[in-house]
Amino acid sequence: MSRSVSVRAPGKINLQLAVGPLGDDGYHPLATVFQAVDLYETVTATPREDSALVVTVEAPRALGIDISGVPTGPDNLAVKAALELRAYFGVDYGADLHLRKGVPVAGGMAGGSADAAAALVACAEAWELGAGRGELHKIAARVGADVPFSLHGHTAVGLGRGSDLSPAMVRGEFHWVLATQDHGLSTPEAYATFDAEVESGARPAAEPHINRELMAALMAGDAERLGAALSNDLQSAALTNAPHLHRVMEAAHEAEALGVIVSGSGPTVAALGRSRQHALAIAAHLRAAEVAHMVLTASAPAPGATIVT
């Protein structure tokens, strides 16, 4: 085992995130529609002679992604993925894991989950484990709820905790603008705010379900219908915890985005364009409005974890 293997995996946005009331197990049941965007994390795994898992991180300077908060120890999801992979196959191999960041950090776009998915595939290949996709999916679900989707990519419906995936039928390509902030939002805090809204009666305690209009829009490849059907039950919590996101969303509407939504628990705001050119125009308007730390454009759906070298 001497070869290095590089694997890239995509970031994601949630086209729909429906959240049910807190269960006795401490989790909220979810019904969500993930879409992978062509912003990628790339993980290169190089086998070591010892059992250490050593992480290094870089980001292309042009993207301006702040990697100072990315852990390089056992809290890194790529390390957790490698540890779960070792436990599943009963081995004790080591690896140098080099992460090249292309997804905004702490933006609600599952960059850490993409690292985990890429590390699973890269380590499985570098260590010559002969792992099948079904096995990798099972291991991915142990690492985190978003990791199985990062493994599979494209567009998918997620149920349960979000890791029970079914592919969604999609026609065509969609063009997104992603406005990020220079600080993250706490996902547990977002759910706590959501729970407070339910308890106060500000929102109903309903079982989550998938929006049929959104699925029909995806199947038809109709960006305008899709923009109108976007929804996120955690959006009001994100706006409560980060009120400045109101201005980001207003600026996207000023640029005539077809739909605007907070992705996941935030703070990234996703705006849908009619075309690639329209997305570039929305991005230019957001940059001029100075409402975001970084503004990126991306197309979707994108493939899941893929070996590149």
Side-chain angles (χ1 to χ4, degrees):
M1 295 187 301
S2 60
R3 63 174 182 160
S4 296
V5 179
S6 294
V7 175
R8 72 178 191 182
K12 61 83 180 170
I13 54 177
N14 295 81
L15 308 182
Q16 178 191 358
L17 179 56
V19 181
L22 184 65
D24 293 337
D25 59 358
Y27 290 91
H28 296 79
L30 304 177
T32 187
V33 180
F34 298 108
Q35 187 161 75
V37 297
D38 61 356
L39 300 175
Y40 298 101
E41 301 284 285
T42 303
V43 176
T44 300
T46 304
R48 295 173 58 94
E49 293 184 359
D50 57 22
S51 62
L53 297 169
V54 180
V55 174
T56 53
V57 186
E58 69 164 326
R61 184 173 299 177
L63 287 183
I65 294 174
D66 181 8
I67 60 173
S68 61
V70 178
T72 56
D75 289 339
N76 189 288
L77 285 181
V79 174
K80 291 184 178 182
L83 289 171
E84 288 287 354
L85 183 69
R86 292 199 317 196
Y88 184 89
F89 283 95
V91 299
D92 197 27
Y93 301 141
D96 292 319
L97 299 172
H98 182 69
L99 280 53
R100 184 174 174 85
K101 305 289 291 181
V103 178
V105 176
M109 294 182 62
S113 295
D115 288 334
L120 275 179
V121 177
C123 288
E125 287 295 315
W127 292 337
E128 300 175 0
L129 297 177
R133 278 277 167 167
E135 291 174 306
L136 292 178
H137 179 98
K138 187 183 301 183
I139 299 166
R142 296 177 181 176
V143 181
D146 287 339
V147 181
F149 176 71
S150 297
L151 191 67
H152 292 281
H154 302 286
T155 306
V157 172
L159 300 175
R161 297 180 185 175
S163 58
D164 299 335
L165 297 178
S166 300
M169 295 184 64
V170 178
R171 178 176 297 169
E173 188 175 50
F174 298 94
H175 303 283
W176 295 94
V177 180
L178 304 162
T180 74
Q181 304 299 322
D182 58 1
H183 61 278
L185 286 178
S186 165
T187 298
E189 187 175 339
Y191 277 102
T193 303
F194 172 87
D195 291 336
E197 292 173 348
V198 171
E199 188 174 347
S200 70
R203 67 163 60 245
E207 288 302 313
H209 65 277
I210 295 297
N211 184 336
R212 292 184 179 180
E213 175 60 20
L214 185 142
M215 300 305 292
L218 288 170
M219 192 177 299
D222 189 327
E224 189 166 347
R225 286 175 67 189
L226 178 62
L230 300 174
S231 65
N232 178 5
D233 284 354
L234 292 183
Q235 181 165 291
S236 63
L239 293 172
T240 297
N241 297 332
H244 64 279
L245 296 182
H246 281 288
R247 178 60 191 132
V248 185
M249 299 182 74
E250 288 170 2
H253 284 299
E254 289 167 4
E256 299 182 349
L258 298 179
V260 184
I261 191 171
V262 174
S263 182
S265 58
T268 297
V269 171
L272 180 60
R274 289 188 299 272
S275 63
R276 192 184 304 273
Q277 291 73 22
H278 185 211
L280 291 171
I282 296 170
H285 182 79
L286 291 175
R287 292 188 186 106
E290 298 183 345
V291 293
H293 171 66
M294 182 168 51
V295 180
L296 303 170
T297 58
S299 296
T306 304
I307 296 174
V308 290
T309 58

